[in-house]
Amino acid sequence: MAKEKTLRELFHDTLKDIYFAEKKILTALPKMAKAAQSDQLRAAFEKHAGETEEHVARLERVFGEIDHKPQGKTCDAIVGIIEEGQDVMKEYKGTPALDAGLLAAAQAVEHYEISRYGTLKTWANELGLDEAVKLLDETLAEEKETDAALTELAESEVNLHAEAA
Ligand SMILES: [Fe+2]
Ligand SMILES: [Fe+2]
């Protein structure tokens, strides 16, 4: 009989997924910051790159709480989302719509993270992993703040710039 998979295994697997994703995001954000035309958008990407380093460190502590070594597992979703962002950078380079495209790509990344962290926090709660709940919640809050800040930028400067052209 096949071994029954447990919620603990699912939690560990999903932790590997988001660990891979955060590391991928860490390499993508500086490129997006470099590509951004708006100073505010660049600053938002740079700020979140710093926070993302902290997200990786928190995940390493969560791995510790379940007695596993930090390890990533290829996350096709984030690879695809980041590839789309890179396509935007190429296709809209030097155009007024570039920042709006970069911003949209960044929000897709944040929404993916919000989804993952929300799920992981719920599972950590069910598994009684108190420290993990706290750490995952701290990151979740920063992802939500970043998403909100990007929305604000989208509604003000960046999209206006795209429209004025
Ligand atoms: Fe993150
Ligand atoms: Fe993020």
Side-chain angles (χ1 to χ4, degrees):
M1 212 163 89
K3 184 170 151 264
E4 232 178 276
K5 292 245 182 198
T6 64
L7 183 62
R8 190 171 263 268
E9 284 172 79
L10 187 58
F11 178 80
H12 183 207
D13 249 353
T14 308
L15 202 59
K16 289 185 197 169
D17 172 288
I18 193 67
Y19 187 62
F20 174 93
E22 289 284 17
K23 289 196 150 185
K24 192 89 191 156
I25 294 162
L26 206 49
T27 66
L29 277 171
K31 290 179 199 158
M32 291 168 78
K34 208 174 153 206
Q37 292 165 327
S38 143
D39 289 341
Q40 275 175 281
L41 186 59
R42 187 180 318 110
F45 288 156
E46 281 167 355
K47 178 175 180 238
H48 199 51
E51 288 171 346
T52 298
E53 282 179 31
E54 189 58 36
H55 299 174
V56 169
R58 285 192 194 118
L59 287 175
E60 287 169 354
R61 288 167 63 192
V62 176
F63 276 107
E65 199 186 349
I66 56 166
D67 297 318
H68 281 285
K69 264 196 269 173
Q71 193 193 345
K73 178 183 172 189
T74 305
C75 164
D76 292 327
I78 205 72
V79 170
I81 291 170
I82 287 174
E83 262 173 25
E84 280 185 6
Q86 284 165 345
D87 288 347
V88 166
M89 271 188 241
K90 252 186 276 165
E91 287 165 26
Y92 288 87
K93 195 177 178 183
T95 76
L98 174 67
D99 280 0
L102 284 174
L103 206 151
Q107 281 198 291
V109 170
E110 293 316 306
H111 288 193
Y112 182 77
E113 290 183 291
I114 289 166
S115 157
R116 281 304 188 219
Y117 279 107
T119 297
L120 282 166
K121 186 188 146 189
T122 303
W123 290 344
N125 217 349
E126 284 170 36
L127 294 166
L129 301 167
D130 297 343
E131 180 67 11
V133 171
K134 208 185 102 233
L135 292 164
L136 294 166
D137 191 50
E138 278 169 12
T139 298
L140 179 60
E142 285 175 2
E143 310 293 17
K144 285 183 179 170
E145 275 165 34
T146 302
D147 182 48
L150 289 171
T151 296
E152 215 171 285
L153 270 180
E155 285 168 357
S156 60
E157 195 193 10
V158 174
N159 283 354
L160 285 178
H161 181 63
E163 278 162 25

